[in-house]
Amino acid sequence: MKYLNIFLAFFRVGIFGYGGGPSSIPLVEKEVVGRYKWMNDEDFSDCLAIGNALPGPIATKLAGYIGYRVGGFLGMTIALIATILPTVFLMIVFLTVLNQYKDQPWVQGMSKAVIPVVGVMLGILTWEFVKRTKGSFGWMKTVLLLVICFVLMEPLSIHPAILIIVFIFAALLKKTDDSTKTERKVKSP
């Protein structure tokens, strides 16, 4: 049953994740955190942050890691196949059909109609991340971090992976610093 659930979860992501890798992230979150509860929100956020810092498509990285975490090597293989299979199949079918009807208005409208749906899905996921960050840092630090990240990524064009790596190291250093303070408090009478 576990492997069937892995297949179904990532098959749904693969078949409904229209619009590229980022559009599949909310779907993966819904399946993994919401439906099957293989991870909590914090684990999924960590997984997503590290996955975004690594090279390659995010949907397959998430599928591989989560499939492995849930079902070992076989789970990883099933999750990857379930993620890739719908895309490959739909590419063959859609490109064959679209090439025949690509100049028709209904085909052009179909592509444009999906974009707002993907935008709303990403907006909802972003708001969930902002709420979680607020729970850890409070509104002031959250807004400050959002502004800093926006300025670094948009006007200064710094790649998001660099920011993620910097924030991971900053968190590790802060944790080490906090651990040292705790040790000093324990030693001092």
Side-chain angles (χ1 to χ4, degrees), residues 140-154:
M140 195 70 153
K141 283 185 181 177
T142 300
V143 171
L144 183 65
L145 282 172
L146 287 172
V147 170
I148 289 170
C149 290
F150 179 79
V151 169
L152 291 174
M153 285 192 291
E154 285 301 314

Side-chain angles (χ1 to χ4, degrees), residues 164-174:
I164 290 169
I165 290 168
V166 167
F167 281 120
I168 287 172
F169 278 113
L172 290 173
L173 290 175
K174 185 174 181 337

Side-chain angles (χ1 to χ4, degrees), residues 41-56:
D41 288 330
E42 192 174 335
D43 288 342
F44 185 77
S45 299
D46 293 343
C47 180
L48 182 61
I50 292 172
N52 273 324
L54 299 173

